[in-house]
Amino acid sequence: SQPLPIALVGEAILKEHAIEVRDFDTALSQLAEQMALSMVAANGVGIAAPQVHSPLALFIMASRPNERYPDAPLMDPVVVVNPQILSASAELVSGEEGCLSVPGQRFSIWRHQTIVVRYQDLAGHWQQTELTGFIARIFQHEFDHLQGITLLERSQ
Ligand SMILES: O=C(O)C[C@@H](Cc1ccccc1)[C@H](O)SCc1ccccc1
Ligand SMILES: [Zn+2]
């Protein structure tokens, strides 16, 4: 199957608040699969449903070592549904980010170094975990997308 078209900044879908997922059905799993394929095709480390024109509260994060974060952990893609950030460290760290919806640009963005998060997996089971460093950065970037926020609104 083909990668899905990526919404570019300026498209209304990227400004909307995502809708809570209620049906953990095969359609949801198929969307997640399509998102993962699109993320890999675009050489990303994350992708949020609004970026592929879906209004659902769902994203994928898949940290891997890269030129900007050579010591980033290599992780299998994680599907995150209905995420919540329960707490965030006072410590902030500035780092360079890109966005598939703002192609070819890089921005310095402040993020919380550590966050405690809760989300559902594709089976609807709640997960709770603490994230730090680059993975926490990806989570916050994708979580912003679900609030209609892109890094253009955050760049320092
Ligand atoms: O637009 C997106 O949501 C995907 C971004 C995710 C990202 C989050 C935090 C920090 C950097 C990127 C894409 O992965 S942009 C491509 C990329 C990949 C690795 C490092 C930097 C940029
Ligand atoms: Zn983005």
Side-chain angles (χ1 to χ4, degrees), residues 12-155:
I13 185 87
L14 292 175
K15 298 191 184 78
E16 287 165 20
H17 200 279
I19 302 165
E20 181 187 358
V21 172
R22 285 190 171 70
D23 298 332
F24 292 82
D25 54 14
T26 53
L28 186 71
S29 299
Q30 284 166 352
L31 174 59
E33 193 178 324
Q34 289 267 313
M35 286 169 61
L37 191 136
S38 306
M39 177 188 69
V40 169
N43 205 18
V45 292
I47 192 167
Q51 293 183 283
V52 293
H53 300 91
S54 162
L56 295 180
L58 157 76
F59 64 75
I60 294 180
M61 55 182 192
S63 168
R64 57 169 162 75
N66 57 88
E67 67 287 344
R68 280 282 169 277
Y69 302 85
D71 53 1
L74 177 61
M75 65 187 267
D76 290 331
V78 174
V79 180
V80 175
V81 184
N82 298 329
Q84 303 164 2
I85 298 179
L86 301 182
S87 65
S89 63
E91 185 191 0
L92 301 176
V93 58
S94 179
E96 197 164 86
E97 298 186 13
C99 184
L100 299 178
S101 300
V102 190
Q105 298 189 52
R106 288 281 188 269
F107 303 82
S108 279
I109 307 286
W110 288 101
R111 298 291 185 182
H112 297 283
Q113 170 65 6
T114 303
I115 53 177
V116 177
V117 303
R118 186 166 178 268
Y119 61 89
Q120 287 172 280
D121 61 18
L122 277 176
H125 300 146
W126 284 101
Q127 314 290 324
Q128 181 163 327
T129 185
E130 180 176 275
L131 304 173
T132 190
F134 187 54
I135 299 180
R137 178 175 293 277
I138 299 172
F139 192 102
Q140 292 170 80
H141 178 116
E142 305 308 337
F143 186 81
D144 273 355
H145 276 304
L146 303 186
Q147 320 308 315
I149 298 167
T150 69
L151 71 199
L152 294 175
E153 286 91 48
R154 284 205 185 278
S155 63

